[in-house]
Amino acid sequence: MRTLPMILLAVAVVASTATIFAQIPDHPRQLSFSPLTFAPPKAKDYRVVLSNGMVVYIAEDHTLPTVDIRATVRTGSLYDPKGKEGLARMAGDVLRTGGTKNISGDELDERLAFLGASIGSGITSTSGSASMSCLARHTDEVLGLFADMLMNPAFAEDKIRLWKDQAIEALKTKNDQPRAVLEREFRKLLYGDHPLVWEETKTSLERITREDLLQFHRAYYAPNNIILAVAGDFQRQEMLQKLEKAFAGWQPRQVKLPPVPEIKVKNRPGVFMIQKQINQGYVNVGHFGIKDTNPDVFAINVMNFILGGGSFTSRITSKVRSDEGLAYNTGSRFANEHLFPGAFYGYVQTKSPTVYYAISLILREFERIRKEPVTDQEMETAKNYFLDSFPDRFSTAIGTMSTFASLEYDGFPLDYYDTYCDKIRAVTKEDVMRVAKKYIKPHEMTIMVVGDIEACRKGYDKHPGTLDQLGKVTVLELKNPLTGM
Amino acid sequence: MERARTAKIGFACLLALIWMGALLRAQELNLEDQVIEHTLDNGLRILMVERHEVPRVVCHIYYRVGSVNERPGITGISHFHEHMMFKGTRTIGVTDFEADDALNRQIDSLYQLIYREKYWKRDGDQAKIRQWEAQADSLMKYEKRYIIKDDLWETYMKNGGTGLNASTGQEITGYYVTLPSNKVELQMWLESDRMLHPYFREFYSEKEVVREERRLSENSPGYFFREQLEATFWAASPYAWSVIGWDADLQKVTKQDMIEYNRRYYVPNNAVAVYVGDINPQEIIALAEKYFGRVPRGPDPEPVRTTEPKQYCEKRVIGEAEAPPSVTIMYHVPPAGHPDDEVFRVISGLMNGTTGRLYKKLVKEKGIAVEASAGGGGMMYDGQYSFRGRPKSEAGHTPDELEQALYEEIELLKTEPVSEHELQKVKNQAEANFIQSLRSTYALAARLGRAELGLGWRDLQQSLQRMKAVTADDIMRVANTYFTKDNRTVGLLYRTARPAPGKRPSSS
């Protein structure tokens, strides 16, 4: 089948090789590339609202004989009542494992496994999700099961017990991973007493009943509180009819999200340490950042790319890892959360004696980006990266539909990506310095270190200095994860 | 021109997608019809798959080298080499190569002295070592004026490179980047340059980065135990050490070791380059001829000689760590390509997942485990198949109890034929997973490249066909042949006895 074109191809290659050998440029700088333009798909072209109020982003994609659906539900563990921490997470998981009024969880598992299909469900702090994936020829059956799960979960008692047993077992491992301890305790320092950082305990989990789960489902799972992303090997109109049919009889109703306590942004400078008998210090150094709705977000992203977000091209990685060989992982992040200001922090994991030195280098970069203008070359690299890699986010149809669904979920304008590149292009060196000054406060840093306290604290002779020089050192005690005490 | 191109590649243009989709479906997902291959005169293999959804191309290059090619004394060198390949070449990462090279020669000779004094002698002269180290330090500081920091990485990133990384495994090392479709030539330039002009600049500071990476692993719960278990399981095979290597070897490995290792394995005839995305295969071939074609063929590297000898008695490893208690039961099995290999894939299908036997019996029914799984099979030179589980310790269940329960499941494999329905379920899942695995261009490139250096990329599909032919009898025969007491190594990990976490409230 392929023989003829391949022969032609071979001739073409032989003919051209003789002349091109001399043309290899000495340096990649001298390469020139043909222009390339890319127009992102428009969200509104894919948006449909079903008769029950469910929003659907739908695209045909015939690359493989498969169908994918992802649902986003407006809910989250953020709404867990005090004393029942874990409720949303349990509801999200047992929604799937506990079966429905029409089919037991075990039967559902078996049927999906036999079809080579999958259905999932879960809830994070700020949203719920459910998904299905199957071969196109099984769409009707799997979609039926998927809709049944969303509408009629049974929350069977034995599956609640199974979930609790596993969750309690997992609690016992919560202090094993130094990185998990660091991220968790750092967030607790930042957010204080807030549902975002409340922790599950054996008691809180045992307190949750099947009735709580049913009530949770009634409170949040309504068609008008769900956004679907749908893509795969189907005809659009036909698929929309299938969706109407699968969710027929599910009535829209008003969903009220409970009020969430406001976070009072207040930085807590100082050094906080947690003892762990390991050979490195795991470090976060930072404070509150921004909400992703902040109009400075584009300038901040460019600034942070240069500072510590752009892997090896960034200043922190270049200095701490590449130059000094102090760490495998280091850099900085703006965790741009939606409903709340996320954290801004630099991070590093380095052997205990070099903890102080590594932190001091990161702090130095925090100062420098606020005071010295960044270079033209740094700006070019950062902006080109954002612009040239922009099409990546549209590389699969289901990914694109999910991207649109999250725009809608977070209340961004649907044409957000039409102007994205222009907003990156518009960022100037002055913007970078302005946002660095505004959002980075080197003297208000919360420095948290998980590691062998004495070894980390004292530093080493090649670069003398101790953690006590960076602020008041407070040693925090790790709590028993089962009891929270 | 430009407009036309935009319309063609624009995602919104559904017509184009439908047309391409119809074409693909007509081919019934036969990889044979999608993969285009080409071999250069120097032996470099090129694999290509067209995917035109977005104007991006996944560009991967894989070498047939990994920790299995190492020997005691240089363990970890494949992975260290991967790091070094990002530190520049004779052309990249340096402003004045001659001056930089002269400095590097001085630094290397100082370190030769240091390593001899430190590692060859029982009581090396510490004062001398400190003096040489100080000299080397100041030369390295001086060298910085010639170094363009992370030049390769920055060049990729400012041209929209994403998925930029590399990885080293036991048998394969890969270098990855995804670029705009008009910039594939950049990858050809840089990767052929890495192949042609390697230069191991900043060797000594990067060694410390690798040692930090090893420390990170060491701090993950139960790491040392797992490392010991592997080292115990393998008697002769170089699979015995981890990819990161032993720290003592990392300390002692020299620049000269690195150069020799590079010359032996990082040659075009030991590699495959893969391009998946918005490509024109003819253009790719022409570019590959131009850039990679200039790299001379090397001697074909000899495969690893050692074969794991037969095990004649059970081995047990018992440990404690600040980690969840666990059981691992490992068996020696034949290398990849052996006819029994697909039988192990079917066994994994029977055992794993929420409808798999281990979860159903041990987690749901008996309630003695939080998780249990099985997996493994043939590797390039030998094979290993394991059953693993974590006991539900809160309810008082122990690794020992779970070990016995796992044997019961293994025994069932030997004595009871699997039902047709269960067998069919496993085969259906394998087929669906195979189709799903082709979705991501990145994953497709990785699978093709790795398979090509193993049994050849065609084996991906052939293996699925062989798996579909596995019978209930095959499973019983294979279980009886390999899952025997003398052929196993058992690892039992218990949680360290330690004082309970403090009851006092946090002092914050």
Side-chain angles (χ1 to χ4, degrees):
Chain A
M1 287 296 284
R2 180 154 301 226
T3 323
L4 186 60
M6 284 307 281
I7 289 170
L8 291 175
L9 187 62
V11 173
V13 167
V14 169
S16 56
T17 40
T19 49
I20 54 184
F21 261 112
Q23 298 165 3
I24 293 179
D26 294 337
H27 197 277
R29 268 190 306 271
Q30 296 151 10
L31 291 173
S32 59
F33 306 108
S34 56
L36 183 67
T37 52
F38 172 74
K42 292 187 186 304
K44 63 175 171 47
D45 295 344
Y46 300 89
R47 189 177 187 276
V48 180
V49 183
L50 300 186
S51 57
N52 59 16
M54 194 182 275
V55 174
V56 179
Y57 287 92
I58 182 167
E60 294 183 17
D61 170 15
H62 302 279
T63 35
L64 293 172
T66 57
V67 168
D68 278 277
I69 300 183
R70 294 181 194 163
T72 311
V73 188
R74 203 171 291 283
T75 181
S77 60
L78 196 56
Y79 308 114
D80 276 352
K82 184 105 186 166
K84 289 193 178 175
E85 293 84 0
L87 170 60
R89 219 165 62 78
M90 193 186 301
D93 292 347
V94 183
L95 183 83
R96 165 68 185 82
T97 61
T100 77
K101 289 169 188 156
N102 306 302
I103 183 170
S104 78
D106 291 340
E107 284 165 343
L108 179 61
D109 288 346
E110 284 294 346
R111 188 59 195 154
L112 291 171
F114 192 80
L115 297 176
S118 65
I119 291 180
S121 163
I123 296 179
T124 65
S125 62
T126 53
S127 75
S129 66
S131 63
M132 60 163 269
S133 178
C134 67
L135 296 177
R137 63 175 188 270
H138 301 139
T139 304
D140 290 350
E141 182 176 355
V142 179
L143 176 57
L145 294 167
F146 179 67
D148 191 28
M149 172 189 82
L150 284 171
M151 296 188 294
N152 311 306
F155 296 114
E157 287 286 3
D158 60 329
K159 294 300 186 289
I160 294 176
R161 187 67 254 161
L162 181 64
W163 191 92
K164 285 182 179 176
D165 285 352
Q166 293 187 308
I168 289 164
E169 201 67 34
L171 284 181
K172 297 178 76 174
T173 69
K174 262 181 91 175
N175 289 340
D176 292 345
Q177 293 272 7
R179 194 193 298 242
V181 171
L182 174 72
E183 299 303 337
R184 188 181 77 224
E185 300 297 322
F186 183 70
R187 273 171 73 85
K188 272 159 63 178
L189 280 180
L190 250 54
Y191 291 102
D193 179 29
H194 192 277
L196 270 179
V197 293
W198 286 350
E199 289 186 77
E200 297 167 8
T201 61
K202 195 173 169 179
T203 318
S204 84
L205 295 178
E206 290 292 12
R207 206 177 272 147
I208 299 164
T209 64
R210 175 166 179 268
E211 188 46 46
D212 290 325
L213 299 184
L214 286 165
Q215 206 182 315
F216 184 94
H217 177 259
R218 278 195 297 270
Y220 301 106
Y221 283 67
N224 50 315
N225 201 38
I226 292 178
I227 305 169
L228 288 189
V230 183
D233 191 14
F234 50 71
Q235 302 303 318
R236 178 180 156 118
Q237 273 314 316
E238 210 176 300
M239 189 66 196
L240 284 170
Q241 281 161 16
K242 285 181 206 268
L243 290 169
E244 284 283 2
K245 196 175 140 217
F247 294 102
W250 206 15
Q251 295 303 319
R253 60 174 187 275
Q254 206 185 347
V255 174
K256 262 189 85 175
L257 299 173
V260 175
E262 201 188 329
I263 293 174
K264 295 179 185 64
V265 178
K266 186 171 167 289
N267 293 331
R268 301 183 63 177
V271 181
F272 299 85
M273 303 191 73
I274 288 177
Q275 170 63 28
K276 213 155 174 40
Q277 201 58 48
I278 51 180
N279 57 27
Q280 287 173 313
Y282 284 58
V283 181
N284 275 0
V285 39
H287 49 55
F288 276 110
I290 56 160
K291 292 187 190 181
D292 62 7
T293 46
N294 187 319
D296 282 333
V297 75
F298 295 92
I300 288 172
N301 287 346
V302 170
M303 182 272 290
N304 188 56
F305 183 95
I306 296 169
L307 174 66
S311 68
F312 288 91
T313 60
S314 77
R315 292 175 173 188
I316 291 176
T317 309
S318 181
K319 182 72 191 160
V320 177
R321 170 175 165 155
S322 185
D323 237 17
E324 303 268 343
L326 289 173
Y328 178 72
N329 271 326
T330 185
S332 67
R333 278 193 196 111
F334 266 90
N336 304 339
E337 291 191 36
H338 189 66
L339 297 170
F340 303 94
F344 158 70
Y345 57 100
Y347 59 91
V348 63
Q349 297 104 48
T350 183
K351 59 188 172 296
S352 313
T354 48
V355 165
Y356 164 80
Y357 182 51
I359 295 174
S360 70
L361 292 178
I362 291 172
L363 289 171
R364 202 179 299 168
E365 293 304 332
F366 287 173
E367 288 282 2
R368 189 157 80 92
I369 199 152
R370 298 172 78 247
K371 291 184 179 146
E372 280 172 26
V374 296
T375 67
D376 290 335
Q377 197 191 334
E378 284 173 320
M379 281 301 280
E380 188 201 332
T381 299
K383 287 164 79 167
N384 277 4
Y385 173 77
F386 286 111
L387 296 172
D388 255 359
S389 65
F390 175 68
D392 257 359
R393 68 188 75 215
F394 306 105
S395 60
T396 64
I398 186 63
T400 306
M401 294 306 106
S402 303
T403 300
F404 293 155
S406 32
L407 282 184
E408 173 138 0
Y409 186 81
D410 287 338
F412 284 106
L414 290 186
D415 63 357
Y416 182 85
Y417 290 107
D418 295 355
T419 57
Y420 177 93
C421 289
D422 290 336
K423 284 177 175 151
I424 292 288
R425 276 187 206 103
V427 176
T428 64
K429 278 157 77 174
E430 291 70 33
D431 290 331
V432 165
M433 188 181 279
R434 178 180 59 80
V435 297
K437 277 194 169 126
K438 184 166 174 189
Y439 298 101
I440 298 178
K441 301 174 180 107
H443 300 290
E444 294 180 35
M445 293 285 160
T446 297
I447 299 172
M448 171 157 265
V449 183
V450 175
D452 189 6
I453 292 178
E454 280 320 304
C456 291
R457 203 165 171 171
K458 64 175 185 244
Y460 76 139
D461 50 2
K462 202 169 159 193
H463 296 282
T466 72
L467 285 178
D468 304 71
Q469 287 165 245
L470 299 174
K472 181 175 173 285
V473 175
T474 308
V475 175
L476 303 179
E477 205 150 345
L478 267 188
K479 297 178 178 184
N480 181 335
L482 286 172
T483 61
M485 293 195 287
Chain B
M1 277 295 282
E2 230 174 88
R3 278 178 69 96
R5 185 164 174 80
T6 309
K8 196 188 114 210
I9 57 184
F11 181 88
C13 185
L14 284 171
L15 274 179
L17 281 182
I18 291 167
W19 176 77
M20 287 186 308
L23 220 93
L24 271 181
R25 219 157 6 155
Q27 294 162 351
E28 287 178 337
L29 284 170
N30 194 348
L31 271 183
E32 186 78 31
D33 295 326
Q34 298 190 34
V35 179
I36 299 169
E37 46 187 344
H38 181 80
T39 309
L40 302 186
D41 288 345
N42 60 16
L44 180 73
R45 301 272 292 146
I46 315 281
L47 300 180
M48 293 159 282
V49 178
E50 291 186 57
R51 289 282 172 89
H52 298 281
E53 285 88 341
V54 284
R56 303 280 292 169
V57 184
V58 175
C59 313
H60 287 188
I61 181 158
Y62 294 91
Y63 293 88
R64 192 188 284 112
V65 60
S67 60
V68 78
N69 300 100
E70 297 162 359
R71 55 174 168 76
I74 62 163
T75 65
I77 197 172
S78 313
H79 169 255
F80 184 14
H81 182 277
E82 172 214 313
H83 277 238
M84 291 314 300
M85 292 294 265
F86 286 93
K87 303 300 278 185
T89 64
R90 284 167 183 265
T91 27
I92 290 292
V94 64
T95 53
D96 179 345
F97 176 73
E98 300 304 326
D100 181 65
D101 185 45
L103 277 175
N104 267 282
R105 284 167 195 274
Q106 290 181 59
I107 295 166
D108 290 340
S109 9
L110 279 166
Y111 266 98
Q112 238 169 16
L113 295 173
I114 295 167
Y115 282 12
R116 277 176 180 246
E117 201 66 27
K118 241 186 184 169
Y119 303 128
W120 292 33
K121 296 181 182 172
R122 260 177 222 280
D123 302 301
D125 185 333
Q126 295 303 312
K128 267 190 189 161
I129 291 173
R130 273 197 300 277
Q131 185 202 330
W132 291 327
E133 279 178 344
Q135 282 174 23
D137 267 3
S138 67
L139 287 172
M140 287 190 281
K141 277 212 179 76
Y142 187 80
E143 188 200 358
K144 281 177 186 168
R145 74 191 56 197
Y146 300 119
I147 293 177
I148 308 172
K149 268 284 152 197
D150 300 299
D151 196 10
L152 178 118
W153 200 278
E154 178 162 353
T155 305
Y156 268 139
M157 278 196 122
K158 78 173 164 210
N159 283 288
T162 55
L164 184 48
N165 215 333
S167 71
T168 308
Q170 289 174 313
E171 300 150 339
I172 306 278
T173 304
Y175 298 87
Y176 325 125
V177 66
T178 299
L179 285 166
S181 51
N182 60 337
K183 292 182 174 174
V184 175
E185 188 174 3
L186 179 69
Q187 186 260 4
M188 299 263 192
W189 197 105
L190 289 167
E191 297 305 326
S192 63
D193 182 57
R194 285 212 266 204
M195 227 190 262
L196 197 59
H197 303 127
Y199 191 79
F200 305 108
R201 197 171 288 121
E202 299 184 294
F203 179 89
Y204 306 96
S205 63
E206 196 59 24
K207 187 186 261 208
E208 296 309 311
V209 173
V210 173
R211 293 184 66 205
E212 287 292 348
E213 190 177 354
R214 188 184 150 91
R215 287 188 188 102
L216 271 181
S217 302
E218 290 173 353
N219 292 327
S220 98
Y223 175 80
F224 286 115
F225 177 77
R226 291 191 298 275
E227 197 176 50
Q228 288 299 316
L229 184 58
E230 289 286 337
T232 306
F233 177 74
W234 300 105
S237 165
Y239 290 114
W241 51 79
S242 62
V243 171
I244 193 96
W246 300 111
D247 190 56
D249 288 358
L250 286 174
Q251 287 182 49
K252 294 172 192 172
V253 73
T254 66
K255 176 81 73 76
Q256 195 51 40
D257 291 330
M258 187 66 79
I259 292 167
E260 284 164 17
Y261 200 73
N262 173 273
R263 283 193 189 135
R264 183 168 308 171
Y265 294 107
Y266 300 83
V267 291
N269 40 313
N270 202 38
V272 56
V274 193
Y275 299 89
V276 180
D278 185 27
I279 54 165
N280 172 343
Q282 303 183 24
E283 284 172 17
I284 296 286
I285 291 171
L287 283 172
E289 295 279 0
K290 174 173 170 180
Y291 284 97
F292 289 115
R294 65 185 167 145
V295 185
R297 187 186 188 104
D300 288 325
E302 185 191 352
V304 174
R305 288 185 195 172
T306 305
T307 310
E308 182 68 6
K310 186 172 158 59
Q311 186 177 323
Y312 289 98
C313 64
E314 183 190 62
K315 297 190 260 190
R316 296 182 81 80
V317 179
I318 319 284
E320 281 189 19
E322 209 173 315
S326 68
V327 187
T328 313
I329 305 168
M330 308 164 80
Y331 296 96
H332 294 281
V333 303
H338 188 281
D340 287 345
D341 207 23
E342 275 73 30
V343 184
F344 291 109
R345 285 183 63 196
V346 174
I347 292 175
S348 301
L350 290 173
M351 293 290 137
N352 293 326
T354 52
T355 71
R357 291 180 172 193
L358 296 180
Y359 191 84
K360 261 184 1 199
K361 183 68 77 63
L362 305 175
V363 178
K364 285 209 285 203
E365 218 170 281
K366 291 188 178 168
I368 60 172
V370 259
E371 63 178 40
S373 63
M379 300 184 279
M380 210 178 272
Y381 296 101
D382 289 297
Q384 180 253 105
Y385 196 89
S386 308
F387 295 82
R388 298 163 199 274
R390 279 173 50 197
K392 200 193 270 184
S393 62
E394 183 66 8
H397 298 287
T398 63
D400 311 66
E401 185 187 358
L402 185 51
E403 183 193 351
Q404 295 310 316
L406 284 167
Y407 291 145
E408 284 174 27
E409 288 308 311
I410 294 168
E411 216 37 50
L412 275 182
L413 286 174
K414 295 181 182 175
T415 51
E416 276 188 18
V418 180
S419 77
E420 260 321 299
H421 182 83
E422 203 180 358
L423 200 53
Q424 194 55 48
K425 177 178 85 180
V426 169
K427 293 176 183 179
N428 290 352
Q429 281 182 315
E431 172 130 47
N433 289 344
F434 176 74
I435 293 171
Q436 296 281 7
S437 75
L438 305 178
R439 174 189 307 276
S440 142
T441 45
Y442 186 96
L444 178 58
R447 279 172 70 98
L448 286 172
R450 288 163 189 276
E452 176 61 17
L453 294 178
L455 298 169
W457 64 265
R458 285 182 175 79
D459 189 66
L460 288 174
Q461 197 139 15
Q462 288 160 358
S463 150
L464 184 68
Q465 298 312 320
R466 290 196 300 270
M467 188 182 164
K468 284 183 183 168
V470 170
T471 66
D473 283 349
D474 289 332
I475 293 168
M476 286 183 15
R477 175 182 56 77
V478 161
N480 278 298
T481 308
Y482 302 103
F483 299 156
T484 61
K485 188 175 184 209
D486 283 350
N487 188 36
R488 78 183 173 217
T489 302
V490 181
L492 299 177
L493 178 66
Y494 300 87
R495 188 176 275 284
T496 308
R498 65 192 159 116
K503 293 269 187 285
R504 279 185 297 129
S506 147
S507 59
S508 62

